Structure formats: C-alpha cells, structure tokens
Amino acid sequence: MGRRTRRRGVQQEYKRLWRQIGRRSIEDLADLPLMTDPEWRATMDVLTAVASTALFTDENLPCLVICRMANLSLEHGNSDGSCYAYVWLGVILGPYFGELRAAFRFGSSAWTW
C-alpha cells in the first residue's frame, strides 16, 4: 500500500469515525456495550500490537490503524484496545487532522474509561 493510498484510507476511516459518532458526544463512547465477539476482540488485540510498530513507518499507517480501531469499537463495542485507540485519537487528531478540541476531549475522556 503506497503512501498516497494510505492517506486516502486514513481520510476514509476518519470520515467514517465522525459519521458513526453522529450526534453522540465523545464522552458517551465510554457507555458503548462491551465487545463480546472473540474474533473482533482478537482483531483489536492484533491492531493494538501493530499500532505501536506502525509509529516507526510513516504518519499515515498509525493514523489508519487507530481510526480503524475506533471504528471497530463503535461498530462492535468497547474492548481493552478501544481505550488505547481513544487515547491515541487524543494524540493524532490535533496534528494530523487539525481537530484540537476533539483531541483534547478524547485524551481527557480516555482517563475515565
């Protein structure tokens, strides 16, 4: 997957994230049901492991992984990896997407989850 392709993928996942959040507040994500499907939980575990390594590639891959993890959480419920994704959204939303307020809210809210 080329850099440009990953950038498009990140933008798609990012837009999907906000569509799925919809009218809910960021703080409401803590109230999502728990992820119970073992396959989705395993997927989140793998993505959690990959996310740290992705930091050493380029700026697109970790953002793609984190946005995907957040989207999976919105679709299938929260897991241990969801908190990791929400914290990292607090890190990447500001510099990568210019969403400083949302970054602060994700980062602040993650401490309560």
Side-chain angles (χ1 to χ4, degrees):
M1 184 183 287
R3 185 180 202 119
R4 219 180 280 167
T5 304
R6 275 197 301 267
R7 178 68 183 175
R8 273 193 298 264
V10 171
Q11 291 297 329
Q12 289 171 346
E13 285 291 329
Y14 175 72
K15 289 176 185 174
R16 194 164 143 243
L17 173 69
W18 289 110
R19 278 194 311 269
Q20 289 198 94
I21 290 174
R23 297 184 144 204
R24 290 180 281 197
S25 73
I26 290 169
E27 294 77 13
D28 289 342
L29 301 185
D31 297 327
L32 289 174
L34 292 178
M35 186 180 291
T36 56
D37 186 302
E39 289 184 25
W40 287 118
R41 290 180 62 84
T43 300
M44 289 292 285
D45 290 345
V46 169
L47 289 173
T48 300
V50 168
S52 299
T53 318
L55 293 168
F56 299 101
T57 58
D58 65 34
E59 66 181 7
N60 295 317
L61 189 55
C63 292
L64 180 63
V65 171
I66 295 303
C67 287
R68 183 67 181 137
M69 289 176 71
N71 277 316
L72 288 174
S73 300
L74 286 161
E75 293 166 8
H76 303 286
N78 283 330
S79 70
D80 295 339
S82 303
C83 186
Y84 181 85
Y86 298 149
V87 168
W88 270 102
L89 280 172
V91 174
I92 66 171
L93 286 181
Y96 198 84
F97 298 103
E99 295 281 349
L100 297 175
R101 288 180 197 262
F104 179 78
R105 288 177 63 202
F106 266 108
S108 298
S109 297
W111 291 108
T112 63
W113 297 332

